[in-house]
Amino acid sequence: MELSLIRSLMNKEFYEEHRGARCPDRLFSKDVKKIKQSIDAAMDRYERSVTPDEIEALFMANNPTMTTAQKQAYSSLFNTIKREQPMGTDVAQEVLSKLFQQVIGEDIANLGVEYVVGDKSSLEPLRQILEQYGDDFTPTLNVEWDDIDIETLLARNDLEARWTFNIPSLVRKVEGVNGGHLIEVGARPNTGKTSFHASLIASPGGFAHQGANCIILCNEEGYHRVGARYLTAATGMTMREIKDNPAKARDLYAPVKERIKIKDATGRDMAWVESICKAYKPDVVLLDMGDKFARTGGFARNDEALKANAVHARMIAKQHDCAVFYMSQLSAEAEGKIVLNQSMMEGSRTGKAAEADLMILIAKNPPVQGQDEEDIERHLNIVKNKLTGWHGSVHCQLEYQTARYTA
């Protein structure tokens, strides 16, 4: 191996990339080290690639005191070098990188032993090693850079809205979502969060009707109550109407039922969510509620745990090419307000919001004294939008008896 490296170092371009500290003499055995030193001298003097014959001639001329036995030994060594093929540049670079790391590792290990036994009392020797070799300690890395040709970028961005929203006022501003997106949805209690995702997925024109395989992981309400919202959203019938006419409901429910899976995830964490995505490969994953998948152990503050939880959710979306909807409560600051902002996310500072590609905060009109029935108008505040860049509010209505959002 070292003779192949020596042969590679006779190439001027390769030598320039690995000269000096990146290829110290210590990498080679005693006799080969002397030949390497002859290559160093030739490169400095002639500034071109050299041949094994030229290095042999220079070596013999510069070492006239060698004995006959030594000359024969080096002649044999040069004959072996002449038969060697230079390593490919990429392979030679990796071999040199590994050998160089081993040499530096030995230096640091030996220094560590001296610290342990008390022979060294200053960190200066370690600092010198870091200063001397830090710039030359090159990791073995081969990056396949992403394709940024115009055609590729246009094609990929055309797919940004694979799953389109079925709320007309919303789709005019944000067409839809795709695999790899993290969508955070927040609202105060009793605003219609569950109905919102049931409507997006199961009602006419929703993700399930578009062919998306959807998984709903709920850890707040019982799965049967969430399932009931999906049933009414899919059929457009109230639960009483479904009881009166189950055959009709079954027919209306059938087109989406096989693409919707619901599981009670109480007590589960984000690692379990990832295992679900690995096993079932969904197109859309709905976490209701996202914050309850967080594990707080090991974090000094609750917001740090929620940030880590959101980071994990985003990684799941990217690695498993699914759109992840992360449902969340809003803080009391949002109570009674129509215009909402990111800071109103419950229990989080900026960490959780920073991970979202799209953030939708749902508001309803404040109650009016003397009004018996709650106002059905809802306001979707788009407070973060990396998909289209539009920010503002769109308005719609919640048909609470069927869990459908309409506009």
Side-chain angles (χ1 to χ4, degrees), residues 46-121:
Y46 302 111
E47 297 184 352
R48 64 173 175 82
S49 297
V50 292
T51 67
D53 287 326
E54 289 173 330
I55 294 299
E56 182 180 10
L58 289 169
F59 181 83
M60 295 299 182
N62 290 326
N63 293 278
T65 61
M66 287 192 301
T67 65
T68 301
Q70 288 175 323
K71 288 180 180 179
Q72 289 177 346
Y74 276 105
S75 293
S76 177
L77 187 56
F78 273 108
N79 287 332
T80 304
I81 291 174
K82 292 172 188 177
R83 291 193 296 269
E84 290 286 340
Q85 292 295 321
M87 287 185 180
T89 302
D90 50 354
V91 174
Q93 182 171 342
E94 181 171 351
V95 171
L96 274 176
S97 176
K98 292 294 185 184
L99 291 173
F100 178 69
Q101 291 178 25
Q102 291 171 17
V103 167
I104 305 306
E106 290 174 3
D107 287 348
I108 294 175
N110 292 334
L111 195 58
V113 172
E114 294 185 29
Y115 284 124
V116 171
V117 300
D119 291 343
K120 296 287 185 183
S121 58

Side-chain angles (χ1 to χ4, degrees), residues 136-386:
D136 299 313
F137 198 91
T138 306
T140 302
L141 189 63
N142 184 22
V143 177
E144 184 177 347
W145 300 105
D146 292 328
D147 184 357
I148 57 172
D149 287 342
I150 292 176
E151 293 78 12
T152 302
L153 295 178
L154 288 174
R156 292 299 300 271
N157 280 282
D158 281 345
L159 297 175
E160 280 292 294
R162 182 182 181 190
W163 313 115
T164 57
F165 291 121
N166 58 354
I167 303 173
S169 58
L170 177 59
V171 78
R172 284 193 290 268
K173 301 300 183 181
V174 187
E175 185 178 355
V177 297
N178 197 3
H181 292 162
L182 175 63
I183 304 94
E184 296 182 6
V185 180
R188 288 292 292 161
N190 199 34
T191 300
K193 292 187 295 296
T194 304
S195 293
F196 181 71
H197 60 76
S199 183
L200 289 182
I201 291 174
S203 69
F207 301 149
H209 283 278
Q210 296 170 41
N213 292 313
C214 306
I215 287 180
I216 296 86
L217 305 175
C218 48
N219 52 22
E220 189 170 64
E221 290 187 281
Y223 88 91
H224 60 286
R225 296 180 64 186
V226 176
R229 305 288 218 301
Y230 276 75
L231 176 59
T232 58
T235 60
M237 302 167 66
T238 67
M239 288 301 292
R240 182 175 296 279
E241 290 171 337
I242 292 171
K243 289 178 182 178
D244 292 340
N245 195 346
K248 178 183 177 182
R250 191 175 294 108
D251 290 340
L252 293 171
Y253 191 34
V256 298
K257 181 179 180 295
E258 296 307 314
R259 287 192 285 272
I260 296 173
K261 292 180 172 63
I262 300 178
K263 178 63 180 175
D264 189 326
T266 303
R268 301 291 190 172
D269 60 13
M270 203 60 75
W272 180 79
V273 174
E274 184 168 10
S275 68
I276 290 289
C277 294
K278 286 181 180 179
Y280 293 94
K281 297 178 174 53
D283 298 306
V284 175
V285 178
L286 195 295
L287 307 179
D288 188 5
M289 305 286 287
D291 289 347
K292 292 188 177 182
F293 289 97
R295 288 290 176 260
T296 57
F299 295 95
R301 302 193 312 268
N302 186 55
D303 64 283
E304 293 177 349
L306 293 180
K307 176 183 177 180
N309 195 55
V311 169
H312 199 168
R314 182 172 178 79
M315 291 306 299
I316 290 171
K318 293 177 68 175
Q319 291 177 2
H320 299 283
D321 193 29
C322 56
V324 175
F325 281 77
Y326 186 113
M327 309 303 293
S328 182
Q329 299 281 12
L330 295 185
S331 66
E333 183 184 357
E335 186 66 33
K337 295 180 180 177
I338 294 176
V339 179
L340 310 175
N341 60 66
Q342 294 181 25
S343 67
M344 297 176 179
M345 294 289 275
E346 178 70 28
S348 174
R349 296 184 181 180
T350 59
K352 187 166 67 175
E355 297 303 315
D357 293 294
L358 178 67
M359 183 180 290
I360 303 174
L361 306 183
I362 308 171
K364 62 181 180 179
N365 294 328
V368 177
Q369 188 173 5
Q371 182 175 318
D372 296 332
E373 193 170 343
E374 185 179 274
D375 195 324
I376 64 170
E377 188 174 23
R378 295 294 183 268
H379 312 279
L380 307 181
N381 291 262
I382 313 300
V383 298
K384 185 175 182 182
N385 182 3
K386 295 169 68 175

Side-chain angles (χ1 to χ4, degrees), residues 121-132:
S121 58
S122 169
L123 291 176
E124 183 62 20
L126 180 58
R127 187 188 65 80
Q128 289 178 354
I129 290 177
L130 297 176
E131 283 191 355
Q132 183 178 359

